[in-house]
Amino acid sequence: MIVIDYKDRRPIYEQIIDRVKMLIVKGVYQPDDPLPSVRTLAMELSINPNTIQRAYQELERQGLIYSVKGRGSFVNGTESVIEEHHKKMLADLKEAMAKIVEAGIDKQAVLKLVEACYGSMELKKNEGGASE
Amino acid sequence: MIVIDYKDRRPIYEQIIDRVKMLIVKGVYQPDDPLPSVRTLAMELSINPNTIQRAYQELERQGLIYSVKGRGSFVNGTESVIEEHHKKMLADLKEAMAKIVEAGIDKQAVLKLVEACYGSMELKKNEGGASE
Amino acid sequence: MIVIDYKDRRPIYEQIIDRVKMLIVKGVYQPDDPLPSVRTLAMELSINPNTIQRAYQELERQGLIYSVKGRGSFVNGTESVIEEHHKKMLADLKEAMAKIVEAGIDKQAVLKLVEACYGSMELKKNEGGASE
Amino acid sequence: MIVIDYKDRRPIYEQIIDRVKMLIVKGVYQPDDPLPSVRTLAMELSINPNTIQRAYQELERQGLIYSVKGRGSFVNGTESVIEEHHKKMLADLKEAMAKIVEAGIDKQAVLKLVEACYGSMELKKNEGGASE
DNA sequence: GTGGTCTAGACCACG
DNA sequence: GTGGTCTAGACCACC
């Protein structure tokens, strides 16, 4: 479920945050589902529990999960979370686009790329999710 | 010409690199134009000369400028530079798009945003370049 | 009567203590009334009996209840309990006030808020006790 | 300036956050003033640098300070910060008051306490800030 | 068993 | 020198 990429230059805890966020937004983690415990996940990924702890803490701060001493960490109600996530994605896109139009890149090239991205997604779906 | 923003979390040397790149891509710096000397620029921005040095070194490594001992640093031929810059922009866009399709955002919303970006650019052009 | 809120970050045993205290102070539990048995309450709330046990122990330590082996736990005389509760409330208020004067907040604003709180109480009373 | 109280049961990093917040709100730390460096303050308080780091990170997240690698941590512009702080204080007071009126404590007792708090403040001022 | 805090010490990137 | 990340290992409170 949760993986880390050592090639990725971003800190591990940030990768975990993104990963969990994604799983929540995609609905793989449902509200009140328990997350893997700090220690378990740390062992699984063979990293330090503190790093997981930090990721979970940030997720709690952002209101995506809640943790209870002695019981574990759980997914929060989501509705607004997903919407906010979408907004952020589009804001990022807008930023990238601003640079692109500033650089004078052809609109057709952009549209082609967008189509390609959506195309590849459909391909993956048809192949089935059995991979990994 | 070259400014730094201390509130910006990116390292200063990176801000300088980006700034110079932008000036080259936009054609403000023409091939074989001299860049400000390390010491001059350092004083102007009141930062450590090492920081400028590092930025120039990186720019040379990337092939955008060349340095001549005792004379200074100069802009290289720019054709390939611009092309590479475009490639990078598109790579960034692709990354943003990947997250977007993953989040299941509607294709129409994306296309609309793209159109909007190109639309606003044309508007700005017609208004004249006084903005920025 | 006694409920727990898993979203509440405070430990369960503490929530139970507070809840019982409140019921005593409010007069719902009269002196020598029996409290629900540890096992009953544990089942009712579907939590570990140890947790109830701990809450009752703490309540006994504070002198609010007394336990008789083989018979159960009972409410103690309440006069002093209420008084102590009042003291604690005022101590909390004093702490909040300390921060307020430190922050330099206007005295009038505070007095206004105090009046408002007492005002709203009278309102509620007159409306009847159906609330809560 | 910044002190920690080992009697206080709250975590050290939280005490530091509150302390810095207070100093900013009170205007002792002005915008763009540098905070003590992570290591310096850690030594001064003889605690681990990580603990300071954590406090500063949280303060940055809350928008009260900004940190730059290799340069240090600095106070942010404040206006809205102070206002928000005041609001929070009053919300806390309101919460304490709600419990007080619920417990049926006399209004006069409350007003007396409020007066006392403001009185003690004036006393301190007149004594002069030379203490400590 | 769970999460939360802290320490000691390391390494990196930056100026 | 600065801040940022991570590890290893400890202790606490809670269930």
Side-chain angles (χ1 to χ4, degrees):
Chain A
M1 231 41 164
I2 295 174
V3 291
I4 55 182
D5 172 11
Y6 284 105
K7 305 266 182 68
D8 194 333
R9 289 189 45 204
R10 290 179 319 161
I12 295 176
Y13 82 97
E14 209 175 306
Q15 293 185 42
I16 294 173
I17 290 174
D18 272 20
R19 195 80 189 161
V20 172
K21 228 183 239 178
M22 194 261 282
L23 290 169
I24 292 179
V25 168
K26 280 195 151 184
V28 181
Y29 283 161
Q30 292 290 326
D32 293 314
D33 274 3
L35 272 67
S37 91
V38 170
R39 287 164 175 75
T40 313
L41 187 53
M43 282 208 320
E44 221 171 86
L45 302 176
S46 25
I47 62 176
N48 192 292
N50 280 334
T51 307
I52 309 287
Q53 175 74 4
R54 186 169 178 186
Y56 279 14
Q57 206 160 303
E58 175 65 11
L59 283 165
E60 182 165 19
R61 204 197 50 73
Q62 291 183 20
L64 280 91
I65 71 173
Y66 63 94
S67 300
V68 190
K69 255 187 212 166
R71 293 194 60 242
S73 302
F74 306 87
V75 177
N76 242 336
T78 45
E79 302 128 30
S80 65
V81 172
I82 293 178
E83 198 183 337
E84 198 168 326
H85 185 251
H86 283 199
K87 265 188 196 162
K88 194 186 168 304
M89 296 289 96
L90 287 174
D92 286 356
L93 176 68
K94 203 169 176 179
E95 205 180 311
M97 282 303 303
K99 284 186 186 171
I100 280 176
V101 304
E102 197 186 5
I105 293 178
D106 187 38
K107 185 157 89 174
Q108 293 313 316
V110 173
L111 292 177
K112 198 175 134 197
L113 195 151
V114 170
E115 294 288 348
C117 287
Y118 274 101
S120 72
M121 179 203 60
E122 279 168 21
L123 228 63
K124 271 191 191 166
K125 255 192 183 166
N126 294 341
E127 281 171 3
S131 66
E132 204 325 20
Chain B
M1 232 40 163
I2 294 174
V3 291
I4 56 182
D5 172 11
Y6 283 110
K7 297 277 175 83
D8 192 332
R9 299 288 314 275
R10 291 178 317 164
I12 294 176
Y13 86 99
E14 204 176 312
Q15 292 186 42
I16 294 173
I17 290 174
D18 273 19
R19 198 76 189 165
V20 172
K21 255 186 205 168
M22 194 261 281
L23 291 170
I24 293 179
V25 169
K26 284 202 159 182
V28 181
Y29 282 164
Q30 292 291 328
D32 296 315
D33 273 4
L35 271 66
S37 90
V38 169
R39 275 158 52 192
T40 316
L41 188 54
M43 283 212 317
E44 214 172 276
L45 303 175
S46 35
I47 61 176
N48 194 311
N50 285 333
T51 307
I52 310 285
Q53 185 65 24
R54 184 166 180 182
Y56 280 13
Q57 258 171 18
E58 177 63 13
L59 283 165
E60 188 166 10
R61 205 190 56 72
Q62 291 182 20
L64 281 85
I65 68 174
Y66 61 93
S67 301
V68 186
K69 254 187 204 146
R71 293 197 52 242
S73 303
F74 303 88
V75 177
N76 246 332
T78 51
E79 310 113 34
S80 65
V81 174
I82 293 177
E83 196 184 340
E84 198 168 327
H85 183 251
H86 284 198
K87 266 188 194 163
K88 192 183 170 305
M89 296 290 96
L90 287 173
D92 287 356
L93 176 68
K94 202 169 176 181
E95 204 180 312
M97 281 304 303
K99 283 188 184 170
I100 280 176
V101 303
E102 198 178 23
I105 293 177
D106 188 38
K107 186 158 89 173
Q108 294 312 317
V110 173
L111 293 176
K112 197 175 137 197
L113 194 151
V114 170
E115 293 288 348
C117 287
Y118 275 102
S120 72
M121 178 205 60
E122 279 168 21
L123 229 64
K124 268 191 193 166
K125 258 192 182 163
N126 294 341
E127 280 171 2
S131 67
E132 213 318 22
Chain C
M1 233 38 164
I2 294 174
V3 291
I4 56 182
D5 172 11
Y6 282 111
K7 297 276 174 83
D8 192 332
R9 299 290 314 275
R10 289 179 317 165
I12 293 177
Y13 86 98
E14 204 176 313
Q15 291 186 42
I16 294 173
I17 290 175
D18 272 20
R19 197 78 190 164
V20 172
K21 254 186 205 169
M22 195 262 281
L23 290 169
I24 293 177
V25 169
K26 284 203 159 182
V28 181
Y29 282 164
Q30 292 291 327
D32 296 315
D33 274 3
L35 272 65
S37 90
V38 169
R39 275 159 50 193
T40 316
L41 188 53
M43 282 212 317
E44 213 171 277
L45 303 176
S46 35
I47 60 177
N48 194 309
N50 285 333
T51 307
I52 310 286
Q53 186 64 25
R54 183 166 180 182
Y56 281 14
Q57 258 171 17
E58 177 63 12
L59 283 164
E60 189 166 9
R61 203 190 56 74
Q62 291 182 21
L64 280 84
I65 69 174
Y66 60 94
S67 301
V68 187
K69 255 187 204 147
R71 292 197 52 242
S73 303
F74 304 87
V75 178
N76 246 332
T78 52
E79 310 113 34
S80 65
V81 174
I82 294 177
E83 196 184 339
E84 198 167 328
H85 182 251
H86 282 201
K87 266 188 194 164
K88 192 184 170 304
M89 296 289 97
L90 287 173
D92 286 355
L93 176 67
K94 202 169 176 181
E95 204 180 314
M97 281 304 303
K99 284 187 185 172
I100 279 176
V101 304
E102 198 177 22
I105 292 177
D106 188 38
K107 187 158 89 172
Q108 294 312 317
V110 174
L111 292 177
K112 197 176 138 197
L113 194 152
V114 171
E115 294 289 347
C117 287
Y118 275 101
S120 72
M121 178 205 59
E122 280 168 20
L123 230 62
K124 268 191 194 167
K125 256 191 182 164
N126 294 341
E127 281 172 2
S131 65
E132 196 348 4
Chain D
M1 230 44 162
I2 294 173
V3 291
I4 55 184
D5 173 11
Y6 284 106
K7 305 266 183 65
D8 193 333
R9 289 189 44 205
R10 289 179 319 161
I12 296 177
Y13 81 98
E14 209 175 306
Q15 293 186 41
I16 294 173
I17 290 174
D18 272 19
R19 196 78 190 161
V20 172
K21 228 183 238 178
M22 192 260 281
L23 290 170
I24 292 178
V25 169
K26 279 194 152 185
V28 181
Y29 283 161
Q30 292 291 326
D32 293 313
D33 274 3
L35 273 67
S37 92
V38 170
R39 287 163 174 78
T40 313
L41 187 54
M43 282 208 321
E44 221 170 85
L45 302 176
S46 23
I47 63 176
N48 191 291
N50 281 333
T51 307
I52 308 286
Q53 174 73 4
R54 186 170 179 184
Y56 279 14
Q57 207 161 300
E58 176 66 11
L59 284 165
E60 182 165 18
R61 204 196 52 70
Q62 291 183 20
L64 281 92
I65 70 173
Y66 62 93
S67 300
V68 189
K69 255 187 211 166
R71 294 193 59 242
S73 302
F74 306 87
V75 177
N76 242 336
T78 45
E79 302 129 30
S80 66
V81 171
I82 293 177
E83 198 184 337
E84 197 168 328
H85 184 253
H86 282 198
K87 265 187 193 163
K88 194 186 168 304
M89 296 290 95
L90 287 173
D92 287 355
L93 176 67
K94 202 169 176 181
E95 205 180 312
M97 281 303 303
K99 284 186 186 169
I100 279 175
V101 303
E102 196 185 8
I105 293 178
D106 186 39
K107 185 157 90 174
Q108 293 313 316
V110 173
L111 293 176
K112 199 177 136 197
L113 194 150
V114 170
E115 294 288 348
C117 287
Y118 276 101
S120 73
M121 179 204 59
E122 279 168 22
L123 229 62
K124 270 191 193 167
K125 255 191 185 167
N126 294 342
E127 281 171 2
S131 67
E132 216 316 27

